[in-house]
Amino acid sequence: MEFFREKSFGYPVLGPGRVDYTGGAQFQPTIKPKPYDDKKKELITFECDFAVSVPEIRELIKKEKAQYCVVLDCRDTFMRKAYCSFEGEFSFEEAHKEFHGQVFIEAYIIITEDIDNFHSSYFHPFFREKRVQLKSGMVIAQAETVRWNAFNENFETIAPPIDFHIDDN
């Protein structure tokens, strides 16, 4: 799912540029690709650190009713995978060969269990009096998509295009 500021979910979603939550509510994921952590240079480690300021959402994650998710999407190699965790800090590895060109990194908080009557003190006044029904798989927080350029190149010794010989005469 691509990030669109104007997308309406029909229920409050926390994210940049959205007005569904007020009072400085924020969702701040940091995903850092660390190429070549292994000796064979075959794996990329992705280090993830999530921060969310809404206590009601943090409580859902603590109770494992919601989880942090990272989606990697590389259109050049047709690879798209999701990695999820209940921990605010986690890492995962992926084969370097899965990436070439532009990779889209998306971050979400996803509901893992149906929830009746969800409410937050940070809801915009439009939603403040409402109790929201959340179903498993629904997005409750979304960050802007980050683009990362990955190039799967094998750097080998290349013969120079010009061969110099020194003539002793």
Side-chain angles (χ1 to χ4, degrees), residues 11 55-69 84-87 108-119 132-141:
Y11 59 92
E56 294 89 352
I57 293 177
R58 285 197 313 263
E59 188 64 24
L60 290 178
I61 295 165
K62 183 178 176 183
K63 292 180 178 178
E64 297 189 355
K65 294 183 177 191
Q67 63 184 345
Y68 303 106
C69 289
C84 300
S85 176
F86 295 110
E87 301 298 322
Y108 304 96
I109 298 177
I110 307 291
I111 295 297
T112 59
E113 182 180 311
D114 291 357
I115 299 167
D116 293 327
N117 299 317
F118 178 70
H119 182 354
V132 181
Q133 307 302 311
L134 300 172
K135 301 288 183 188
S136 180
M138 292 175 84
V139 173
I140 59 169

Side-chain angles (χ1 to χ4, degrees), residues 14-87:
L14 179 61
R18 303 187 64 82
V19 295
D20 297 347
Y21 285 79
T22 60
Q26 294 185 7
F27 172 50
Q28 296 179 327
T30 303
I31 297 106
K32 295 180 184 176
K34 302 276 185 171
Y36 305 134
D37 273 357
D38 66 328
K39 292 178 183 176
K40 295 180 182 176
K41 298 183 179 180
E42 294 176 358
L43 298 175
I44 297 175
T45 300
F46 291 84
E47 294 178 352
C48 308
D49 185 14
F50 290 85
V52 61
S53 64
V54 179
E56 294 89 352
I57 293 177
R58 285 197 313 263
E59 188 64 24
L60 290 178
I61 295 165
K62 183 178 176 183
K63 292 180 178 178
E64 297 189 355
K65 294 183 177 191
Q67 63 184 345
Y68 303 106
C69 289
V70 175
V71 176
L72 301 178
D73 182 3
C74 183
R75 294 175 184 164
D76 289 357
T77 61
F78 301 103
M79 189 281 272
R80 182 173 175 87
K81 289 185 182 177
Y83 303 85
C84 300
S85 176
F86 295 110
E87 301 298 322

Side-chain angles (χ1 to χ4, degrees), residues 3 9 15 25 72 106 115 124 126-128 136 139 148 163:
F3 179 82
F9 287 88
L72 301 178
E106 304 165 4
I115 299 167
H124 183 277
F126 178 79
F127 294 108
R128 199 151 289 148
S136 180
V139 173
W148 172 59
D163 191 13

Side-chain angles (χ1 to χ4, degrees), residues 74 76-77 99-103 148-152:
C74 183
D76 289 357
T77 61
F99 306 105
H100 184 79
Q102 200 167 62
V103 178
W148 172 59
N149 290 316
F151 294 97
N152 187 2

